[in-house]
Amino acid sequence: MSDAGTVLVTGATGNTGSWVVSGLRRRGRRARAASRRPAPADADAVRFDWADARTFAPAVSGVEAVYLVAPVGVAEPMPLVRPFFQAASAAGVRRVVQLSSSAVGRGDPVLGEIHDLGARTFDEYTALRPSWFMQNFVGDHPVADGIRRRGEIATATGHGRLGFIDAADIAAVAVEALVRAEYLGGELVLTGPDSLSYPQAAQMVADVLAEPVRHIDLATDELAARLTAAGYPADFSAALAALDARIRAGEQDFVTTTVADITGRPPTSLREFLFRERRRLGWSPRVG
Ligand SMILES: NC(=O)c1ccc[n+]([C@@H]2O[C@H](COP(=O)([O-])OP(=O)(O)OC[C@H]3O[C@@H](n4cnc5c(N)ncnc54)[C@H](OP(=O)(O)O)[C@@H]3O)[C@@H](O)[C@H]2O)c1
């Protein structure tokens, strides 16, 4: 890929995409930030809506590489992603870096199907497969919501462990995968430095906030019912709860050295992340 190549960043306002845009620009690369509501002050922002295929061709025009955040919250994304891949391929895009998940292999439903089609469409396709985001503790995620509202983290994971990762570290790897002359390969499994259980994470949140935060261990169907009652679609709730069951079974209890291997610096620990983001954690009976 030439140094001058423009990179289209989908999900540019999101957890990883925002860091990918800033990381590319720090490296002197042109990042075309795609959003349904592009920032007027950003000359390189472009309107992009998965629900409107007319936005695809202008977004990929003149682009060499794409950072792909698949349509979020869409049960059947292939009818949206297939024409996007066609437009990108026709525009000469050679390299795509997709945000997938450590829980999703090539060919698995939804993100894995996109991974498979992308790998068959583009010369250089890299699926990033990160563990669970540390950002789930501070954003719109049910984990963050439980901390803010009740000082509790309710999961169906038991003492099962996982390698929580900072979205900024995922983005740092994405930038390398997008701009390096060499192709970094078909998939990269990414974790933070430690494999931790939610009870351990709840204790860390409590330490950072100096407030009690407890872990509530639910059965898988109890968690699904809670999420549905909180307003999440039933199928999404069931899917999230099923992932927890896989964590409980130990499937996600591993760490990789990929972030450090590729970026040259160690990934952020959960404790460092929680401390950095402590103002967004929010639970404090004293502050309200
Ligand atoms: N959270 C985790 O622990 C975790 C772990 C592994 C993998 N993942 C995967 O990471 C991905 C991203 O999840 P996230 O929660 O972090 O989301 P996010 O990237 O923070 O936010 C979603 C982004 O998608 C954009 N978007 C939403 N609807 C769109 C549409 N119709 N057209 C174009 N853009 C649209 C939004 O941009 P605008 O609103 O500006 O349009 C926003 O930038 C998901 O595929 C998820 O499965 C998550």
Side-chain angles (χ1 to χ4, degrees), residues 10-17 34-37 48-51 69-72 99-102 111 130-133 136 141:
T10 64
T13 59
N15 277 323
T16 59
S35 166
R36 287 166 297 178
R37 285 172 294 278
F48 178 82
D49 189 343
W50 284 111
V69 178
V72 174
L99 178 61
S100 184
S101 160
S102 63
L111 295 176
S131 184
W132 274 243
F133 297 178
N136 297 347
H141 195 271

Side-chain angles (χ1 to χ4, degrees), residues 16 67-70 97-115 125-133 136 162-163 165 170 186-191 239-240 243-244 246-247 251-252 254 256:
T16 59
Y67 179 65
L68 182 76
V69 178
V97 176
Q98 181 204 343
L99 178 61
S100 184
S101 160
S102 63
V104 181
R106 179 172 173 177
D108 285 349
V110 190
L111 295 176
E113 290 170 69
I114 295 170
H115 176 174
Y125 196 88
T126 302
L128 303 182
R129 297 188 50 204
S131 184
W132 274 243
F133 297 178
N136 297 347
L162 62 155
I165 183 168
I170 302 168
E187 59 174 51
L188 298 170
V189 179
L190 307 176
T191 70
L240 275 188
L243 286 172
D244 272 25
R246 289 167 59 182
I247 294 170
E251 179 211 277
Q252 294 291 319
F254 60 88
T256 68

